[in-house]
Every structure is written in C-alpha cells, then in structure tokens.
Amino acid sequence: MARIAVIGAGMGAMATAARLAVAGHQVTVYERAATYGGAVGRYERDGFAFDTGPGLLHLPAVYRDLFVKTGKRPLEACVDMVQADPAVRHVLPRHDVDVTLPGASHGGVAAALDQAFGQGAGERWNAVLGRARDAWDTTRRPLLEEPLRADRQALSADPYPALRRSGLLRRRPPTLAEVADRELGGGLGELLTGLVGAYGIDPARAPGSAAVLPYMEQTFGSWYVRGGMRALATAVYERCRERKVEFVFGAEVREVLAPQGRAAGLLLADGTEVAADSVVCGIDPRLLPAASLPWPPEAVPARGEGLPSRLTLFLALRGARPADSPGLRPQGPPVHRTLVHSPGLVVTVLRPDDPTTRPDADHEAVTVSAVRGPGSPGPQEPEELLELAGKAVPGLRERLLWHEVRTPADVEAATGAVGGAVPPPALAGAGGRLLYPANTTAVPGLYLAGGWAHPGGGLAHAGMTGALVAGLIVEGAEFRGSR
C-alpha cells in the first residue's frame, strides 16, 4: 500500500483519489479552500441557488464508470440525473432565427433545422456531424482513453475529413470557422461555431476536429443533476470518503518535495512537510513555484492561444416561468439551455426548473454566462449580458429582482485558477497546440490530473484523468488505458 498525496479537491483530483483508494492505496487530499469540488460550487442568496461552474454534464458515462469501479451503488443511486430534452435552443437575432433542437434525435434535429433555415439544412448539418463522427472514431482512444503518447503524432494532424472544393489546393486543413462557412454557411454555420465557442474555443483558430464537441452533445446528450452540479461533486466526495480517502481542507501546498529527483511529499504553507510515495497534482501546475520542480516546457499548460475565462451573472427573477416560453415545455426536463448568438459573442442562458434553485414556484433562478478570452474579447460589461439574455427570457427586465456578477477575478479567488481560467477540452489537430500536458511528468512519482492535464477541461474530460492517473500509478508506465 503506497501513500498518495493529492493536491486539490477538484473533480479530476477526487476521481483519481477514489480510484487509487479502491486499489488499496492510502490517499490524502490537500485542498487550499474550505470545501471540495473546485470550480463546481454553489452560490446561494435569498432562497435562490446557482451553479458557479458548469450547469450541464456531457458524456455521463465517465462518472457512471467511476461509480461502478469504486463501489456498489451506481451513479444514478447517488444523484438524480436526467437528460435535457429539448437539448438546446438557438437564438440568432441578425438572422431572425429562433430554433429549438430536440435531444438524442438526428432526425428531429434535421427537421427542426429544415424548418428554421430551409429545406436541406438538416441534411447538411447531419453530414458535418457525420464527418465529426469519423474524427471522433479516429481520435477517441488516443485523445481520451489512453495516456498521451510521447511523440503526439497521432493527435497533431486534423482528423476531420473536410470537404474539398474542386480545383482548390490547400496548404493547411481548414479551421472550424471555415468548415462552418463552406459546409454549412450563414446562420446554420453560426450554430456550429456558437456551440464550439461556448466551450471557450476560438472557431477561427480551432481545427475542424472541434466539430466533435457538437457531435458529442447531439449523440450522447446533455444531462442535468437535480440540486445542481454541486450535487455531483458531493456524490464524488462521499464516494471518496466511503473508500477511506482523507481530506485536509485549508491546506495550501507550497511545494512538491523531490529531494532525490523523485516526488517524495509536499511542503504546506504552514511549514508542515508531508511524506508520500507519489504525488498527484490536481491543480494548475503553474501555481507551484517554478523553482521547486524541474518542469520541462511541455509540462506547463500554457497553450499557444492561452486559456479563456468567463463572465457570469446569477439572476433572481420574480414570477413563475411561463410554460409557453419558446423552447420550454410545461412538463419537460428540469433544465433548458439557450445560446444567444451575437457577432463575436455567444451567451449561454440556463433556466433550471428545479425547486432547489428558487425560494418557491413563483420565482425563477437563471444563470447567464459568456466566454472572455483569447480570440474573443467577450462581454465588456454585465449590462451587455443582460441585454442579450433578454432575447432568451421574455420580460427579463421587468422580472429581475437582483443579479450577482461573477468575474474571472472572483473565479481566481475562489478556485486559485490563474486569471480565472476555465480550460476547455483538448482537441486533435493544429499541430498539437490544443493538447495538454501528459499525466506523467519529468519528475518520477509526480502526476497531473484534472482539467489542466490530458485530456483537458470540462467535467467529463477532467473525470477521465482519474482513470488515466490511477492506471499509471497502479500499473506503471506500461498502462495503455482501459478497454
């Protein structure tokens, strides 16, 4: 039984801790904050409650697998999780389009797009997602299910099989924005770029393989956890405790100790030294002193175009949500997601019909967010978000009781993420510049988990690091992923 020290209690770190504990290791998690979950937090005021991080889960199979592998009770026995249907509503003011897409129905999506954009739009959309499926099939295993290969060659080329125009010779693969323009065009193309942009990825710089993100959503669905995504964090934390993982809160890590060139413990801010046989860093490695570890350049998650952040508004509304609002169903699932498309900006509006988010049925809690970051200046003022959110929520101004603003600086203060950064998922292509550091490092015994490591950010991707890091520690360098 080895002693494992885990830095941070984010979702990826806890997923790693649970898997290592069930493998028989003694695991202790050191978290600078007073609670677990990292970015997956909860803000409450006057009976209203809001997720401070992601409000929806994609690829729920990641957490289903975690719960199957670490205990007797499956995920669905620990959280009340339902699939969102309709999946997403798109509002494109400059195209005068308001279209709601069903979940888990390629035919239903095609029919809705034909009605909104004209006959043939659905066929073109599904053709693009069909090519995205080919990219998914090509890269799913090396990008998501196995440790990052040292040469990275399998992931440096763009796997998206873009259509080629007759007589046009290209020296490079098209960007996602070019795919959207040439294979879809107009407002339909904006749907594709908007879905990708909502992840914090610049479509003008992203490879065509970014189309796998909308493909994943349409194929595997978007899922909501009643009680908010914080309930999922609580379930993972409780699973860790069931497996005898120890948590030390209010314990800031100053340094990873590696006296003989191998990770051997931690130095805490209060001067305490903690011995360990292996260390898992579940936070941004840039938060650790550069002098404390011989980081190779590729081990630092500073991708070429940087990392995005988000500006978020929590809105407390008076009055029950009208059942006949666009995109809403009187007895539908408990969350509705709208993307409002504006030039250079996509605003996400989440309206959970969940009693735990509001004081009573005569009020509504709404979360509005937009990316701020490289390639997209994002909204400059909260007022801009309110204006665009009003296109998704009729009568917003009249119903507004109060709103709270959560800036990137607030995110940094709460989570420690540099600049309030929110790392998006890794992508194949672009010469490998959209990949993250490998889960192993130049320091033996030191591993990287969470959204700052392969395969990148997002609830599902961060959770995947748990299986990868645990496999590397338990089975060694020969580990090639679960099959």
Side-chain angles (χ1 to χ4, degrees):
M1 178 175 67
R3 298 165 301 172
I4 312 292
V6 179
I7 307 173
M11 297 298 282
M14 290 196 295
T16 306
R19 289 178 180 272
L20 287 171
V22 82
H25 297 299
Q26 178 185 331
V27 185
T28 304
V29 176
Y30 298 88
E31 167 58 51
R32 63 184 286 274
T35 188
Y36 53 85
V40 185
R42 194 80 161 159
Y43 175 78
E44 299 182 359
R45 173 183 164 185
D46 299 339
F48 293 88
F50 308 85
D51 282 318
T52 61
L56 292 172
L57 173 64
H58 307 300
L59 291 177
V62 172
Y63 288 91
R64 290 192 179 109
D65 181 71
L66 171 66
F67 277 73
V68 166
K69 299 291 177 57
T70 60
K72 294 181 179 179
R73 291 186 302 151
L75 177 62
E76 282 79 3
C78 301
V79 296
D80 186 1
M81 189 171 66
V82 292
Q83 186 171 5
D85 185 15
V88 61
R89 172 188 170 205
H90 292 274
V91 177
L92 294 85
R94 68 172 181 161
H95 294 279
D96 194 25
V97 168
D98 188 328
V99 57
T100 299
L101 304 183
S105 172
H106 291 274
V109 168
L113 294 177
D114 280 345
Q115 184 174 1
F117 295 101
Q119 194 64 32
E123 182 179 359
R124 296 200 308 277
W125 176 265
N126 283 341
V128 168
L129 264 60
R131 290 187 281 277
R133 179 192 59 213
D134 293 339
W136 166 266
D137 291 341
T138 300
T139 60
R140 175 180 57 85
R141 184 161 180 80
L143 185 63
L144 303 178
E145 297 178 355
E146 64 184 23
L148 191 64
R149 300 174 186 176
D151 59 12
R152 304 190 180 193
Q153 290 302 309
L155 297 173
S156 62
D158 188 352
Y160 181 80
L163 296 180
R164 298 185 180 276
R165 289 187 172 181
S166 177
L168 178 63
L169 297 177
R170 300 191 60 85
R171 295 185 178 180
R172 59 167 177 79
T175 65
L176 190 280
E178 290 169 337
V179 167
D181 180 55
R182 294 172 182 175
E183 300 182 22
L184 296 174
L188 190 61
E190 282 192 29
L191 258 66
L192 184 68
T193 57
L195 281 166
V196 170
Y199 283 85
I201 296 170
D202 179 9
R205 301 193 64 194
S209 66
V212 301
L213 299 175
Y215 165 77
M216 286 164 48
E217 286 192 26
Q218 186 166 315
T219 302
F220 304 109
S222 301
W223 297 75
Y224 178 75
V225 176
R226 295 181 192 270
M229 211 54 65
R230 179 66 178 176
L232 176 63
T234 297
V236 176
Y237 170 73
E238 291 177 347
R239 177 55 54 89
C240 285
R241 298 294 292 138
E242 290 171 6
R243 306 315 304 181
K244 308 303 181 185
V245 175
E246 295 294 329
F247 285 80
V248 182
F249 295 108
E252 182 178 357
V253 174
R254 285 286 177 83
E255 186 176 337
V256 175
L257 301 175
Q260 305 298 323
R262 177 184 173 81
L266 303 175
L267 173 64
L268 304 184
D270 64 3
T272 302
E273 292 190 5
V274 176
D277 299 300
S278 294
V279 173
V280 177
C281 179
I283 63 173
D284 184 345
R286 293 173 296 181
L287 296 174
L288 299 175
S292 70
L293 292 168
W295 294 105
E298 66 272 15
V300 181
R303 306 190 312 170
E305 80 284 24
L307 293 172
S309 59
R310 293 183 186 276
L311 179 65
T312 302
L313 302 184
F314 302 136
L315 310 183
L317 305 185
R318 64 169 64 86
R321 181 176 63 175
D324 59 351
S325 293
L328 304 185
R329 298 202 313 236
Q331 296 179 342
V335 70
H336 294 274
R337 171 192 180 204
T338 300
L339 297 185
V340 181
H341 302 251
S342 182
L345 178 63
V346 178
V347 174
T348 300
V349 181
L350 289 180
R351 305 177 67 182
D353 187 9
D354 183 346
T356 70
T357 67
R358 58 181 186 249
D360 53 52
D362 292 324
H363 294 84
E364 183 181 2
V366 176
T367 301
V368 182
S369 64
V371 171
R372 267 184 168 178
S376 172
Q380 298 307 305
E381 299 293 341
E383 183 65 25
E384 187 177 355
L385 256 67
L386 278 175
E387 183 68 25
L388 290 169
K391 300 182 183 300
V393 184
L396 174 63
R397 297 283 187 176
E398 294 75 18
R399 298 178 60 199
L400 186 62
L401 286 171
W402 51 261
H403 72 272
E404 289 282 348
V405 181
R406 186 176 176 86
T407 67
D410 295 325
V411 175
E412 180 171 8
T415 69
V418 177
V422 181
L427 291 173
R433 65 179 173 83
L434 299 180
L435 301 176
Y436 284 81
N439 305 109
T440 54
T441 71
V443 181
L446 175 64
Y447 302 85
L448 303 184
W452 307 98
H454 172 71
L459 275 175
H461 290 70
M464 292 172 189
T465 63
L468 294 175
V469 173
L472 288 165
I473 292 177
V474 173
E475 298 186 23
E478 65 276 9
F479 175 69
R480 291 295 176 265
S482 301
R483 294 186 179 275

